[in-house]
Amino acid sequence: MKIREINAMRGPNYWSIRRHKLIVMVLDLEEMEELPSNKIEGFPERLKTMFPSMYSHRCSEGCEGGFFMRVDEGTWMGHIIEHIALEIQTLAGMDTGFGRTRGYGEHGVYSVVFSYMEESVGRYAAKAAVRICEALIAGEDYDLSEDIQEMRELREADRLGPSTGSIVEEAESRGIPWIRLNKYSLCQLGYGANQKRIQATVTSETSSIGVELACDKEDTKYLLEQAEVEVPRGDIIRRERSLEEACRYVGYPLVIKPIDGNHGRGITVDIKNYDDALVAFRHAKESSKSGAIIVEKFIVGEDYRLLVINNKLVAGALRTPAHVVGDGKSTIQELIDKVNSDPRRGFGHENVLTQITVNELTKTIIKDAGYTLESVIDEGERLILKDTANLSTGGTAEDITDIIHPANVSMAERISKIIDLDICGIDIMTTDISKPLSETGGAVLEVNAGPGFRMHLAPTSGLPRNVAAPVIDKLFPIKGDTGRIPIIATSGTNGKTTTTRLIAHIAKMKGHRVGYTTSDGVYIQNRLLMTGDCTGPASAEFVLKDPTVNFAVLECARGGLLRAGLGFKQCDVAVVTNVAADHLGLKGIHTIEQLAKVKAVIPETVLPDGYAILNADDDLVYDMRRNVNCNVALFSMDENNPRIKALQRLHGITAVYENGYVTICRGEWKMRIMKAEDIPLTYGGKAKFMIQNVLGAILAAHVQGISIEDMKAALETFIPSASQTPGRLNLFKFNDFTILLDYAHNPAGMRALQKFTDELEATVKVGIIAGIGDRRVEDNNEMGSIAAEMFDEIIIRQDKRLRGKTEEELIKMLDDGIKMKDPNKKTTIIPSEKEAIKFAVKNAVKGSLIILCSDVIPDALDLVKEFKEKEANGELNYAD
């Protein structure tokens, strides 16, 4: 078995499963194609022995044990690998259950699709599943433990922490989109100019002064003392020689800790003599960045954390350090193992509680208590194993929100304003949180910026608190605000780039700050910031992450969708121009119906109150309306199209080409925008396919509330040119000839171009064409046949992007197509595009039209512009 490729789907995709993030693995079974599971001796038994828990997999049988029934009957290895990949993720603590295995269109090759929680784990599971299956086939032993541990570690390294994750989940529940901005905890909530950011529990609205104060324990304590907040007496020192005087001033028992410490590092508590204080001082120094050490009074009581968000107390917890309780017969190590056997404890943050690890600090604490790991402690004796109560070190938490005394609530909320933190955790030591600190002798020990939420989200005991909700309430205070910006997505085989550019131009003329993606680059407010084919999810995210953009227009092509899904989950408007045979035979898409299903994902992502704008003249596009959960608007080149008439009778929105006008209709009422011949993009109405693009664009603008006057102004100023529509009907008039450059790169595009060029007058029409490496033989043959109809002379050239085929193969495909249509057609083969253009220009007769079909637009444009500039300067020498 061989894995051809593994891709991660992060959003909606061809499989139309929006609730899952998917791994798509293309698996070539090779010789295993002929060996279903029941034909391999002992295979079903070995599989059941290794994965007894797979009995719960229902599979297509719909009952427990269904998958094993399929294995006994005989199923292909791709299907088994799918289930193994899911099961090993579940065994590693990531319960995820969606999977599908489908044919790829080639004998023995399958698309194996399964869900994941973390991409790195999903990719690992795909490879591990193949290794496991190969071992089962060969009857070899396989140790799962290494894979399980590796996946657990990968998850902990890559996942969002509990605090960040809870905020993201709360945002998702309110329809607020999010993007992870780095591999840590920096996340964006909302899109473009409406975005907010979080990093763990620090937000884009958190005061930097507040964070600095909270990180400076000296300043924090000083401000709180000035505000008459109970804090322990203390002193700050930097040198060992100051320690003795500080101990006398504060008085034993003491706590010694670094002023800039965190997560409990370098802290020693309950110090009762100078010798211990000296050891603690040196320990604190090791964890201090600034060298400043706090010596303060050790407050007797229990450790409480109060959480304040937006100056309101939202939760409180009693924290207990990791510990064991003796039973009079078990060793300390056995007691630790017993505690860790609690199913609520897991690796890192994977469960409610974290397993207790025995490190050097733990051993030191046990030793200081007079024990070793092999010691047996008395029944009922509690032995503390860590010096802090953090959950990440094995501690526990009990929710005490409802018993906090009002005086303590008021104090905590006041502290949040004194330190100026929108989210803060306040650590308090007291014997009874239900009484004011002034009565118990308790004190505020610390104020934390970016406090952890885990102890409140899933306390060991008591009520869980949704502490993420008030964070979202603060960031998005207006009810229903999702932080979104308008998103218009375009798809189709031909015309989507021009439609995208035109919509972006209309929105820009309306005053929006537009970001848009196309097959030639990413533009932010008309500035080209990325070049190349930018129609995939990474480019979409680039626009949606930009804080200057308040309107996005995103071209979505088949390749990016199949490779990695979309860069967004939902859009406001989707425009589908058409579906024609293109890129067939790639990534498991072999028929035009399958291609239509891929492109249908775009309208299926439209929000319920948004619009899917569909071409009513295209059967496959029109059929997409059946699976959308939104409004539908249609456009057609024929105002009498029965589909248009039917929607108009239902008072729907349509756009039609009628009596020479591009017109929007609400129901049967017409709102004429302007004559098509007056729209520069249509070349006087001759470019019918451009009129079709205009219809889709004006519908998108209309449903976004843009007025007819603004649309008309935009249509009048959208001039077909190398700057506004690069490679789309770019006409360059020279003294003796004309060059037309167009991105016609498939048979449908060539047919549309043919209809346009048939209306252009020329003494001779010379076509420069090239084969496309990722098209089928018959597609390139058809391109050649169409060229034979269109042109009086043909020059076959070949660009650098061969995409898996040789130059000779592609040239032959086109030449064969030309000969099928007209064996006597004058044909010249010049592989270099640059030389082909030079040849055409040098041999151009007066009044000729040179039509350059190119899919490497920038190079061709640069050369034609160079010719144009030389002619203007009187320097054009056709012999050069």
Side-chain angles (χ1 to χ4, degrees):
M1 287 180 283
K2 180 173 65 179
I3 298 174
R4 285 192 183 177
E5 61 178 289
I6 299 175
N7 294 314
M9 297 286 189
R10 297 177 182 83
N13 52 75
Y14 175 43
W15 300 88
S16 295
I17 304 296
R18 286 172 187 71
R19 64 186 181 277
H20 298 296
K21 297 181 289 186
L22 303 177
I23 293 294
V24 180
M25 172 171 55
V26 180
L27 182 65
D28 191 341
L29 296 183
E30 299 171 317
E31 70 276 2
M32 296 309 304
E33 164 67 4
E34 308 301 329
L35 285 174
S37 54
N38 63 347
K39 299 295 183 184
I40 303 170
E41 185 177 352
F43 180 86
E45 291 72 26
R46 290 194 291 272
L47 180 67
K48 294 173 187 177
T49 300
M50 190 171 192
F51 295 106
S53 52
M54 274 194 188
Y55 183 76
S56 63
H57 292 212
R58 306 172 76 88
C59 205
S60 57
E61 302 298 323
C63 61
E64 285 201 344
F67 171 62
F68 283 153
M69 291 165 62
R70 295 288 305 278
V71 173
D72 291 335
E73 293 166 2
T75 189
W76 308 114
M77 291 302 138
H79 182 209
I80 291 169
I81 285 168
E82 167 208 323
H83 280 266
I84 292 175
L86 289 170
E87 186 61 19
I88 59 178
Q89 288 184 86
T90 299
L91 292 173
M94 289 153 277
D95 190 8
T96 182
F98 175 82
R100 294 287 186 273
T101 299
R102 297 289 184 266
Y104 192 69
E106 299 177 34
H107 181 73
V109 181
Y110 292 86
S111 283
V112 179
V113 180
F114 59 88
S115 53
Y116 66 85
M117 295 179 72
E118 298 298 331
E119 182 180 325
S120 59
V121 177
R123 289 179 179 273
Y124 184 93
K127 297 174 184 177
V130 173
R131 293 195 300 268
I132 292 166
C133 196
E134 288 174 334
L136 286 168
I137 291 167
E140 299 171 349
D141 291 335
Y142 192 96
D143 183 4
L144 270 178
S145 61
E146 289 186 12
D147 286 331
I148 300 301
Q149 184 60 26
E150 179 67 19
M151 287 189 287
R152 293 170 82 184
E153 291 178 9
L154 283 171
R155 182 191 188 189
E156 286 306 301
D158 291 354
R159 70 182 295 190
L160 291 173
S163 303
T164 313
S166 70
I167 297 172
V168 166
E169 287 175 14
E170 180 65 23
E172 279 193 317
S173 73
R174 303 187 190 193
I176 298 170
W178 69 281
I179 300 173
R180 191 170 185 173
L181 298 178
N182 64 12
K183 64 179 182 179
Y184 303 109
S185 57
L186 181 63
C187 295
Q188 170 184 320
L189 308 179
Y191 287 146
N194 295 335
Q195 68 181 265
K196 303 289 185 180
R197 292 182 181 180
I198 60 169
Q199 183 160 277
T201 60
V202 175
T203 77
S204 49
E205 297 184 358
T206 299
S207 161
S208 59
I209 293 177
V211 173
E212 284 192 21
L213 280 174
C215 292
D216 188 327
K217 293 178 175 57
E218 181 179 6
D219 277 353
T220 298
K221 186 176 179 182
Y222 176 76
L223 287 177
L224 295 182
E225 279 182 322
Q226 295 299 302
E228 295 296 328
V229 174
E230 289 89 348
V231 293
R233 171 180 282 198
D235 196 5
I236 295 172
I237 61 175
R238 295 178 180 275
R239 296 174 180 81
E240 195 174 297
R241 64 173 178 263
S242 305
L243 178 62
E244 190 171 0
E245 183 180 345
C247 291
R248 280 197 304 270
Y249 167 69
V250 175
Y252 297 104
L254 301 172
V255 175
I256 294 181
K257 57 187 176 181
I259 197 167
D260 50 5
N262 54 40
H263 301 295
R265 296 186 183 94
I267 299 176
T268 306
V269 300
D270 199 14
I271 300 166
K272 296 177 180 176
N273 57 65
Y274 180 73
D275 289 339
D276 290 344
L278 192 58
V279 173
F281 177 87
R282 292 168 181 170
H283 176 55
K285 270 286 190 180
E286 293 173 1
S287 300
S288 174
K289 294 177 183 177
S290 64
I293 306 299
I294 295 177
V295 180
E296 66 183 14
K297 190 72 175 178
F298 176 61
I299 306 297
V300 176
E302 295 181 294
D303 185 349
Y304 292 91
R305 164 64 64 84
L306 306 187
L307 179 64
V308 181
I309 298 176
N310 200 16
N311 307 128
K312 295 291 183 183
L313 187 134
V314 297
L318 168 62
R319 302 190 300 174
T320 305
H323 65 278
V324 292
V325 178
D327 59 9
K329 53 187 177 181
S330 302
T331 66
I332 293 173
Q333 182 63 64
E334 288 170 342
L335 292 173
I336 292 172
D337 294 340
K338 184 178 180 180
V339 170
N340 283 339
S341 67
D342 184 337
R344 294 177 300 171
R345 290 190 181 268
F347 180 79
H349 291 147
E350 69 182 5
N351 286 346
V352 174
L353 297 173
T354 299
Q355 291 188 343
I356 301 171
T357 57
V358 177
N359 55 17
E360 289 304 315
L361 173 62
T362 306
K363 292 177 181 177
T364 299
I365 292 173
I366 294 172
K367 181 181 177 182
D368 290 346
Y371 299 119
T372 69
L373 286 169
E374 303 308 315
S375 301
V376 175
I377 57 177
D378 294 339
E379 184 173 357
E381 180 181 351
R382 190 170 84 160
L383 177 64
I384 301 296
L385 301 173
K386 302 290 181 180
D387 60 356
T388 68
N390 294 338
L391 268 65
S392 59
T393 59
T396 59
E398 175 189 351
D399 178 72
I400 48 84
T401 307
D402 296 329
I403 66 168
I404 304 172
H405 193 277
N408 294 335
V409 172
S410 177
M411 176 196 67
E413 293 174 350
R414 185 165 168 258
I415 287 171
S416 73
K417 292 183 178 181
I418 293 168
I419 305 303
D420 191 21
L421 284 174
D422 59 344
I423 302 174
C424 71
I426 301 167
D427 292 340
I428 293 174
M429 187 71 71
T430 182
T431 53
D432 189 349
I433 197 68
S434 67
K435 297 178 181 178
L437 294 191
S438 58
E439 293 182 11
T440 63
V444 174
L445 303 184
E446 197 168 339
V447 179
N448 299 275
F453 284 0
R454 186 181 176 196
M455 70 187 78
H456 310 294
L457 295 165
T460 315
S461 60
L463 285 177
R465 306 285 173 168
N466 182 9
V467 294
V471 177
I472 299 299
D473 290 339
K474 183 179 190 302
L475 294 176
F476 300 93
I478 300 174
K479 187 175 181 180
D481 181 8
T482 61
R484 298 175 53 84
I485 61 173
I487 298 175
I488 298 179
T490 65
S491 191
T493 302
N494 300 104
K496 55 186 179 293
T497 299
T498 300
T499 303
T500 297
R501 285 179 166 276
L502 180 53
I503 295 170
H505 181 72
I506 295 171
K508 181 174 73 79
M509 294 292 287
K510 176 63 177 173
H512 293 294
R513 300 190 301 277
V514 184
Y516 61 99
T517 65
T518 70
S519 56
D520 53 73
V522 176
Y523 296 79
I524 302 296
Q525 300 187 60
N526 271 14
R527 288 186 177 275
L528 179 63
L529 298 185
M530 293 175 66
T531 58
D533 187 348
C534 295
T535 55
S539 303
E541 282 197 353
F542 183 91
V543 169
L544 298 175
K545 287 190 289 189
D546 193 290
T548 68
V549 169
N550 63 14
F551 198 103
V553 189
L554 308 174
E555 180 180 345
C556 304
R558 166 210 60 88
L561 188 61
L562 289 170
R563 184 178 62 255
L566 292 173
F568 56 90
K569 286 190 176 181
Q570 291 180 299
C571 60
D572 299 273
V573 179
V575 182
V576 185
T577 57
N578 65 340
V579 177
D582 193 22
H583 294 287
L584 298 182
L586 297 175
K587 293 190 178 294
I589 305 302
H590 297 274
T591 68
I592 192 171
E593 289 75 20
Q594 288 177 319
L595 183 61
K597 193 172 182 181
V598 174
K599 294 185 182 296
V601 169
I602 307 303
E604 288 171 14
T605 65
V606 177
L607 290 159
D609 59 349
Y611 277 84
I613 296 174
L614 306 177
N615 183 352
D617 299 333
D618 187 308
D619 293 343
L620 291 171
V621 175
Y622 180 68
D623 281 346
M624 293 178 187
R625 78 195 190 285
R626 302 181 187 278
N627 296 315
V628 301
N629 182 33
C630 63
N631 302 301
V632 173
L634 301 175
F635 63 93
S636 172
M637 294 293 287
D638 176 12
E639 68 167 323
N640 295 312
N641 183 321
R643 296 164 176 171
I644 292 290
K645 290 295 185 183
L647 185 57
Q648 288 176 346
R649 285 193 293 273
L650 295 172
H651 306 288
I653 300 174
T654 57
V656 293
Y657 176 53
E658 52 85 28
N659 293 319
Y661 285 87
V662 291
T663 300
I664 291 175
C665 303
R666 278 191 167 270
E668 296 181 345
W669 293 97
K670 293 180 179 178
M671 296 177 286
R672 285 180 171 170
I673 309 302
M674 61 189 298
K675 276 193 172 184
E677 65 183 33
D678 295 333
I679 300 173
L681 186 62
T682 71
Y683 283 93
K686 294 186 180 70
K688 295 294 190 289
F689 60 95
M690 286 298 190
I691 297 176
Q692 192 174 66
N693 294 337
V694 169
L695 293 175
I698 61 174
L699 262 185
H702 179 67
V703 299
Q704 278 294 299
I706 296 176
S707 69
I708 290 175
E709 291 74 18
D710 287 330
M711 276 188 259
K712 185 174 180 180
L715 291 173
E716 289 173 339
T717 56
F718 192 71
I719 312 298
S721 61
S723 59
Q724 283 198 313
T725 58
R728 275 70 180 177
L729 291 190
N730 297 157
L731 207 59
F732 298 87
K733 293 192 176 182
F734 291 77
N735 292 334
D736 295 329
F737 58 88
T738 300
I739 293 179
L740 175 66
L741 192 153
D742 192 74
Y743 185 66
H745 60 290
N746 55 46
M750 286 289 284
R751 287 291 183 198
L753 182 62
Q754 181 183 18
K755 290 178 182 178
F756 174 63
T757 56
D758 283 351
E759 295 194 32
L760 299 181
E761 296 294 331
T763 55
V764 177
K765 294 179 182 177
V766 179
I768 303 176
I769 64 173
I772 311 295
D774 55 2
R775 305 300 198 280
R776 300 170 302 176
V777 173
E778 55 264 43
D779 295 328
N780 281 307
N781 288 164
E782 188 177 354
M783 294 274 284
S785 296
I786 297 169
E789 295 177 16
M790 291 175 65
F791 309 127
D792 301 303
E793 301 174 17
I794 298 174
I795 300 171
I796 301 177
R797 56 95 187 169
Q798 194 53 54
D799 62 44
K800 299 172 185 176
R801 297 192 288 181
L802 300 176
R803 300 172 183 173
K805 294 185 175 65
T806 67
E807 190 176 276
E808 293 75 18
E809 286 174 330
L810 291 170
I811 290 172
K812 185 178 185 304
M813 290 176 201
L814 288 174
D815 198 36
D816 288 346
I818 294 168
K819 288 183 168 59
M820 290 176 197
K821 182 61 65 174
D822 184 353
N824 299 315
K825 180 66 67 176
K826 182 179 179 181
T827 304
T828 306
I829 298 173
I830 305 175
S832 164
E833 180 178 62
K834 185 173 183 178
E835 295 304 318
I837 297 172
K838 283 184 174 181
F839 178 84
V841 169
K842 179 181 177 182
N843 293 280
V845 300
K846 192 170 183 64
S848 62
L849 174 63
I850 300 169
I851 301 164
L852 172 58
C853 301
S854 174
D855 65 342
V856 187
I857 301 302
D859 294 348
L861 274 176
D862 288 345
L863 184 58
V864 175
K865 287 177 182 177
E866 182 183 328
F867 285 153
K868 192 71 180 165
E869 186 177 343
K870 285 184 176 180
E871 184 183 72
N873 296 331
E875 301 171 357
L876 183 59
N877 183 350
Y878 299 141
D880 287 346

